[in-house]
Amino acid sequence: MTALRAAGAVSTDRPIIFYRPTETADALRFLAERPEAVPVAGGTDLMVGVNYRHIRPEAMLDLTAIVELCTWTDEGTAIRIGSGVPYARIVAELATALPGLAAASRTVGSPQIRNRGTVGGNLATASPAGDAHPPLLATGANIEIAAPEGRRTVAIDDFFTGPKRSVLRPGEIITAVTVPKAAGPQQFLKVGTRNAMVISVCAFALALDLDRRTVGTGIGSAGPTPLRALPAEELELPWAAPAGLTDATVERFGDLVAAAARPIDDVRGTAAYRRHALAVCAARALRRTWRAAFEERSAEWN
Amino acid sequence: MELKLHIDGENVTAQIDRPGESLLQTLRDRLGRTGSKNACEQGECGSCTVLLDGDPVCACLVPTAGCEGRDVKTVVGAVPKPVRDAFVACGAVQCGFCTPGLLVSVADLLAREDDPSDPQIREALAGNLCRCTGYEKIIDAVHHAAEASR
Ligand SMILES: Cc1cc2nc3c(=O)[nH]c(=O)nc-3n(C[C@H](O)[C@H](O)[C@H](O)COP(=O)(O)OP(=O)(O)OC[C@H]3O[C@@H](n4cnc5c(N)ncnc54)[C@H](O)[C@@H]3O)c2cc1C
Ligand code: FES
Ligand code: FES
């Protein structure tokens, strides 16, 4: 072992396996040939593990030059975001069409992290604390996954299978996320110890759909996976006479969101605190979006 | 593996021997360009901030192998003189460890905003930690640098 290491140290010109293709098909072929290769997009999750020697990739596949992954397109009623579009561009370019996802993106890390970090990386890591997840749940986004045998689309509701686990299989690449354009005001609220650079204690996203008269929800950092609060979504709201939204209804909504969470005690907060904070965030989000929809009629969301 | 990079205005060749080597390590340990500091290697402190094709990023989180032919600016090549002078004049440097990263972030901010407000400054510098100054003098320095650059 010592001898091997010494040999490696003297010869720095041996070829290393690092591939940076421009086409998804080439990336898939490479992963099929080298199953040990680790994909990297922004590197903001992966490189921490590499620097701390938690993983030592033998081969890497850099996704950042794949043209399809670095672009977003307007599909009419939805935006298709390449999995490698960094948060900074979502904030700068998509805040009007996708206010919830843009608000969540704005809270990720720092400018340096947002310039590199991607929604694709957030999804692949599948942390319950990933900030992109609640707005994707609240809006009913779809995840497009490319495999050697073809592409499939997975509803965000079916994507997460456990803490840091998802339906993504080895050899597959997340190519895009398709997010319905906002049909009403949206909110993203995140509780943390600082206003920047925090992994959330809990987070909540809400999307009002004024056409369908529905409320979409997404809970972060308060369960084994990101969650929707279905009982809260089913709560009867006074759509026909919006001025009749009572404090009792708003509080009930908050309580239903808190009850839908499955938080644990950990270093960032207790389960009880998380439930309390979620009830407050959910009530606040409902009030703010309702007011924006029916009192201000602002142009913010469309 | 041999790579060609454009660093602080020079064409530079770097030899690396593993795919996960970070740009920070390459700059410091292989090229002797120690301007960018290493204080965490996990993206938290910002002392390794460089401009990669013009955007501020943490060099510790960028794999060097993906940087073939790309433009890297460190504290040596990214920072106009008025920004450096303002940091000295305002007492925004104490131990100095955070300074190279902060200077790069400030240079980027002032290239976009010629008269940034306090909230804009705090937002732009949220990814650069300083354990010494308490930040107030850094914010003063940004205002001074903005004035001197206009
Ligand atoms: C200082 C700091 C602060 C942070 N703050 C936050 C925060 O506030 N909120 C938050 O949610 N996260 C935060 N993060 C975590 C991280 O920035 C996000 O999870 C980010 O979205 C990861 O994206 P990436 O492109 O950098 O992923 P990478 O690090 O490039 O990849 C992460 C994982 O996903 C895989 N992968 C990446 N892209 C794909 C793809 N297209 N298909 C298949 N697999 C893929 C990689 O193989 C790797 O296993 C922070 C990280 C740091 C270092
Ligand atoms: S060393 Fe890169 S952010 Fe701290
Ligand atoms: S001057 Fe010491 S860390 Fe900032």
Side-chain angles (χ1 to χ4, degrees), chain B residues 12-81:
Chain B
V12 174
T13 303
Q15 298 276 354
I16 63 170
D17 65 3
R18 60 187 178 94
E21 175 165 323
S22 73
L23 179 59
L24 179 62
Q25 228 180 0
T26 307
L27 287 169
R28 291 182 58 84
D29 301 344
R30 302 223 187 252
L31 300 171
R33 294 176 179 249
T34 52
S36 310
K37 302 301 173 200
N38 174 358
C40 76
E41 287 197 297
Q42 51 180 313
E44 293 280 346
C45 74
S47 59
C48 66
T49 304
V50 299
L51 302 181
L52 179 61
D53 293 334
D55 294 325
V57 302
C58 297
C60 67
L61 300 181
V62 176
T64 307
C67 296
E68 170 71 35
R70 301 177 74 182
D71 187 66
V72 179
K73 284 200 174 65
T74 73
V75 63
V76 173
V79 189
K81 190 161 186 301

Side-chain angles (χ1 to χ4, degrees), chain B residues 85-96:
Chain B
D85 290 348
F87 265 63
V88 175
C90 298
V93 182
Q94 288 188 23
C95 81

Side-chain angles (χ1 to χ4, degrees), chain B residues 92-99 102 129-133:
Chain B
V93 182
Q94 288 188 23
C95 81
F97 212 82
C98 66
T99 311
L102 272 161
L129 299 183
C130 173
R131 297 305 301 267
C132 302
T133 64

Side-chain angles (χ1 to χ4, degrees), chain A residues 265-270 274:
Chain A
D265 293 339
D266 69 12
V267 288
R268 283 175 283 138
T270 62
R274 287 185 156 107

Side-chain angles (χ1 to χ4, degrees), chain A residues 8-9 11-18 20 40-45 47-48 50-53 57-60 62 64 106 109-116 194-197, chain B residues 1 15-22 25 30 40-46 49 52 55-58 60-63 65-68 70 101 105 123-129:
Chain A
S11 149
T12 51
D13 56 356
R14 87 191 147 94
I16 61 169
I17 302 162
F18 189 100
R20 192 165 187 257
V40 60
T44 61
D45 274 322
M47 287 296 287
V48 176
V50 173
N51 290 342
Y52 281 74
R53 311 287 193 271
E58 287 293 307
M60 282 169 73
D62 186 342
T64 57
R106 208 173 283 124
S110 61
Q112 291 94 322
I113 300 298
R114 292 193 291 275
N115 279 336
R116 296 275 300 169
R194 233 188 109 190
N195 231 345
M197 225 35 163
Chain B
M1 178 183 189
Q15 298 276 354
I16 63 170
D17 65 3
R18 60 187 178 94
E21 175 165 323
S22 73
Q25 228 180 0
R30 302 223 187 252
C40 76
E41 287 197 297
Q42 51 180 313
E44 293 280 346
C45 74
T49 304
L52 179 61
D55 294 325
V57 302
C58 297
C60 67
L61 300 181
V62 176
C67 296
E68 170 71 35
R70 301 177 74 182
S105 290
E123 174 65 36
L125 303 185
N128 293 83
L129 299 183

